[in-house]
Amino acid sequence: MTLKRTAPLVLLTAAALSMTACAESQRDDSGGSGGGSADSNVKDTFTFGAAGAPELFDPLYATDGETFRVTRQIHSGLLGIKPGTADIQPELAESWEPSDDGLSWTFNLRQGVKFSDGTDFNAEAVCYNLDRMYNQKGAGQTAAEYWTYFFGTFSDDPENSLYKSCEAKDANTAVVDITRTTSSFPTILSLASFAIQSPKALEEGDANNVKAQGEGFTYPDYSMNPVGVGPYKLASYDEANKTVNLVANENWYGEAPKTKNLVFKIIPDESTRRQELQAGSIDGYDLPNPVDWKGLKDAGNNVEIRDAFNVLYIGLNPERNPKLKDLKVRQAIAYATNRDQMVKTQLPEGAAVASQFIPPAVSGYNESIQPYAYDPEKAKQLLQEAGAEGMTLKFAFPTEVSRPYMPDPQKIHAAFTKDLQAVGIKVQEVSKPWNGGYLDDVSANGAYDAWLLGWTGDYNAADNFLGTFFSSPKTNDFHTNVLPWGQQLSDDLKKADAIVDEDERATAYQDLNQQIVEKYLPAIPVSHSPPALVVSDKVEGLVPSPLTAETFDTVTVQK
Amino acid sequence: MARFLIRRLLQMVLVVFVLSVMLFLWLRALPGGTVSAILGERATPETRAALTKALGLDEPIWVQYGKFLWRALHGDFGTSTRVLPGADALDIFLTRLPATIELSAFALVFAVALGIPLGYVAARRANSPVDSGLVILSLVGVAVPVFFLAFFLKYQFAVDHNWFPVSGRQDNLSCTRITNFFVLDGLLTRELDCSASALKHLVLPSIALGTIPFAVIFRITRASVLDVLGEDYVRTAESKGLTARVVRGRHVLRNAMLPVVTTIGLQTGLLLAGAVLTEKVFNWGGIGNALADAFQYRDYSVLQILILAAALIYVVINLLVDISYAIIDPRVRTR
């Protein structure tokens, strides 16, 4: 070898050596055994297989379930969710009461609570947070999607905002004023997005500094360094190794987490999650495919079935296909489809045929409504009466997706297509990828006569389902503005939502549910399907939540 | 040589520019889009419009492209919307790239370290049972689809027997990150357990990814050595009394290596493509995995930089192959 040829090699070696010299291990070896349980039979780490990476850790700007799963462990809201149910319970607020007109709410706060950075939680912190959300500017408004969805607008458009103001009466009392009465308030304060975070950390991390930049948003430092009130706090997000590490928050007011370290290992592929569980490298994961439930159980794992908090429906667009304007045709579709059999053969254990558009756990559910029976003869007769025999229906389903309410859209679609053809409807079958234009075609483009879609509730309020579907007749997916009762239904739903008294409101919704299914039938409710999560037989203390809002501080893992 | 290099570099710039235009148009012609992918079922006409506007997707496509090009020339490739929201697309590429290179490098080492010696042995013993056995093995290697082999290895050696990890690049050891080459980082920081864990995670994916290149390199080496063994100059070298070592090393192997080097170069390019599948199966946090995520959620910025960079890497590797040609075979230089 000549000198010339070896020179690069020498340089490389030198470079490597010099890097060695400056490459200090930054490993934190302080993590001894303190905290958690002293029981030596349990592990100090619970590892959960997550289906996706968290977007960021400031829940105000978060939009997806994988992110909220993490932020729920490190943040709390004024209101919490009672484990195992969809009902609200006190969290940072110990109690709350409305004024007589329902427009002013007084929250009595829990005392002696500290954020994970050691600063005090109090009424000022509550108002600071709510005002912060309300005062979003520019790109922050677009990024704060949940605020837009549930509160409407921001401080630059106060007329259309549900939120009005917040006042710290004293250290432990916050008074929140809103602009109209709605069943959603204060329940929406239990949503992960509206968690109360440390004002000091928000300030120092320039938390509101969201910018639109080149086809995306940039987020401030704070979004990766969250400070909240929760059983855990963020230790590190190892992006290169796709792992989120949480550690017990020593400033947490409640009982210390049973397991000190909580690790989310990001494994997008469902079968890989299953194999990791089988190999023992994770302790559990969310949304196992229903076809695997039995195999997982046989292998000794615990499949925890949540209560169904969703609805699958066949959407109908009478504007695109005028034949659908006739109630008889819509009813014929309901009678023609064998939903009972579909539920039995295709949906997991615990699924049920839907008689209305809200699941049984939601207040306002009407027990007395019977689902449309499977009756192809009646369907044929109704079609004949409506002069719609042999009608064509462009019926769509999404591909490349599995939703909790719809594990396998293609199979469900195939079953219903057969049913519809059996009563003489000509079905034009179409599909599109979920992220490849399906939702655009359903909503913005109105490109289908009928389609499969569903909804998972955010919180326990009928409005979260019915309001989402059938309000705003001009823009809703069902184009109810071309039906004679479209505006009426929308108005009635708004009226019901504004009733302050809970029992009175529930009765109003029960009536509305009956009218929607029997008189209007803008779409066909199909089923409620319970999502599950699975943990190994060594895991104890996990309480499945219908809202997929589990907190993991009660979990222990046997060695 | 200088003129040759300049011409090739200019060609490269043109290729990347044309590709960037086509890619930009194609991505935006795809059904769906970033906005629907982000909003999901919750989309309302208002939120859809607001997000479209905020992301600058409401402008004419040529304006969008002009802005993209202007920013890209200044080193700004945009911001991720889903793979790691808010992160610079270039940063995502740069943190993910080492993962793919590490995997590809180990796969290539596996392929070369096995392919060349075995190819040489097979050629020397042409038509013996050893040769036939090796040829059949290489045929199987080419024929088995990567994803099947990956699944098979994973199931056999990770799920059924707990010999190797199922997926990922490293155990959760809170290792220090410097270069994001996990094996190297462990050595640099003396966190040897980190290196060991990374190596253990590398075994199965490397074999899965390296099998096809191995088979191809084996077959080319075998054919090429056979070819050279029959050349006059080899016979001359032997008859003038050179030792077998000198004949093999200086005359046979050196001349036989030319097509092998080309093959290795081309296979390196293909490794990057094969890595998409392997990374998916082993949940490897590399380019391939990011590409799949970015595509699913229509993360334009990330897709753009990943695809452009992959193309650039491919072109550069080809250039390097040509240069190494010129070094090994002086006749090429004069052309």
Side-chain angles (χ1 to χ4, degrees), chain B residues 160-200:
Chain B
D160 258 11
H161 304 92
N162 250 322
W163 298 346
F164 295 102
V166 176
S167 75
R169 289 182 67 193
Q170 200 171 48
D171 293 326
N172 190 24
L173 298 166
S174 62
C175 302
T176 312
R177 305 263 179 255
I178 297 167
T179 61
N180 277 323
F181 291 97
F182 286 3
V183 177
L184 182 66
D185 282 354
L187 295 175
L188 291 176
T189 54
R190 315 268 154 73
E191 292 168 355
L192 295 182
D193 53 333
C194 291
S195 286
S197 171
L199 280 172
K200 219 172 153 190

Side-chain angles (χ1 to χ4, degrees), chain A residues 116-247:
Chain A
S116 62
D117 62 356
T119 56
D120 288 329
F121 164 82
N122 52 32
E124 260 170 48
V126 171
C127 290
Y128 181 93
N129 271 270
L130 292 175
D131 285 337
R132 174 222 172 193
M133 299 177 201
Y134 181 54
N135 287 320
Q136 290 294 309
K137 301 261 180 307
Q141 294 190 351
T142 316
E145 208 185 283
Y146 266 65
W147 179 276
T148 311
Y149 197 80
F150 294 105
F151 285 93
T153 56
F154 298 86
S155 53
D156 52 10
D157 181 8
E159 309 245 309
N160 294 309
S161 170
L162 172 61
Y163 177 81
K164 191 170 173 191
S165 63
C166 176
E167 188 199 342
K169 268 263 172 70
D170 58 58
N172 301 312
T173 316
V175 179
V176 177
D177 287 353
I178 53 177
T179 56
R180 62 189 154 83
T181 50
T182 165
S183 63
S184 303
F185 198 90
T187 312
I188 39 176
L189 292 178
S190 67
L191 291 172
S193 254
F194 308 131
I196 304 297
Q197 310 180 53
S198 158
K200 180 166 168 260
L202 287 168
E203 197 95 17
E204 286 175 359
D206 202 8
N208 299 319
N209 190 11
V210 180
K211 286 198 184 113
Q213 191 183 344
E215 295 168 5
F217 297 121
T218 57
Y219 299 95
D221 282 350
Y222 178 80
S223 69
M224 287 291 155
N225 301 288
V227 178
V229 182
Y232 290 95
K233 60 181 181 181
L234 181 68
S236 66
Y237 177 19
D238 187 350
E239 212 270 318
N241 202 28
K242 301 174 88 175
T243 316
V244 180
N245 291 294
L246 305 188
V247 63

Side-chain angles (χ1 to χ4, degrees), chain A residues 30-37 44 260:
Chain A
S30 61
S33 52
S37 171
D44 66 357
K260 190 186 163 211

Side-chain angles (χ1 to χ4, degrees), chain B residues 156-327:
Chain B
Q156 278 298 312
F157 301 111
V159 180
D160 258 11
H161 304 92
N162 250 322
W163 298 346
F164 295 102
V166 176
S167 75
R169 289 182 67 193
Q170 200 171 48
D171 293 326
N172 190 24
L173 298 166
S174 62
C175 302
T176 312
R177 305 263 179 255
I178 297 167
T179 61
N180 277 323
F181 291 97
F182 286 3
V183 177
L184 182 66
D185 282 354
L187 295 175
L188 291 176
T189 54
R190 315 268 154 73
E191 292 168 355
L192 295 182
D193 53 333
C194 291
S195 286
S197 171
L199 280 172
K200 219 172 153 190
H201 281 77
L202 269 162
V203 174
L204 297 182
S206 301
I207 295 176
L209 184 57
T211 296
I212 289 180
F214 152 74
V216 173
I217 290 170
F218 165 83
R219 292 169 71 83
I220 299 288
T221 309
R222 179 180 175 277
S224 177
V225 170
L226 268 181
D227 235 28
V228 174
L229 282 176
E231 291 281 348
D232 291 345
Y233 56 80
V234 174
R235 203 175 26 179
T236 311
E238 275 169 352
S239 60
K240 80 178 178 188
L242 292 181
T243 59
R245 226 181 98 180
V246 174
V247 176
R248 272 181 227 160
R250 201 170 293 168
H251 296 278
V252 177
L253 260 183
R254 175 151 190 178
N255 283 299
M257 274 310 101
L258 210 51
V260 177
V261 170
T262 314
T263 311
I264 292 176
L266 290 175
Q267 289 295 321
T268 311
L270 290 177
L271 275 179
L272 293 174
V276 176
L277 284 175
T278 314
E279 286 184 9
K280 190 99 185 116
V281 175
F282 289 100
N283 192 29
W284 196 265
I287 299 288
N289 219 309
L291 196 64
D293 286 355
F295 191 78
Q296 195 189 344
Y297 294 104
R298 304 286 193 260
D299 192 334
Y300 291 144
S301 300
V302 175
L303 277 172
Q304 276 154 199
I305 189 155
L306 292 185
I307 295 175
L308 282 179
L312 194 65
I313 290 172
Y314 202 88
V315 178
V316 169
I317 288 174
N318 261 305
L319 181 66
L320 291 178
V321 170
D322 286 352
I323 293 173
S324 67
Y325 246 64
I327 292 168

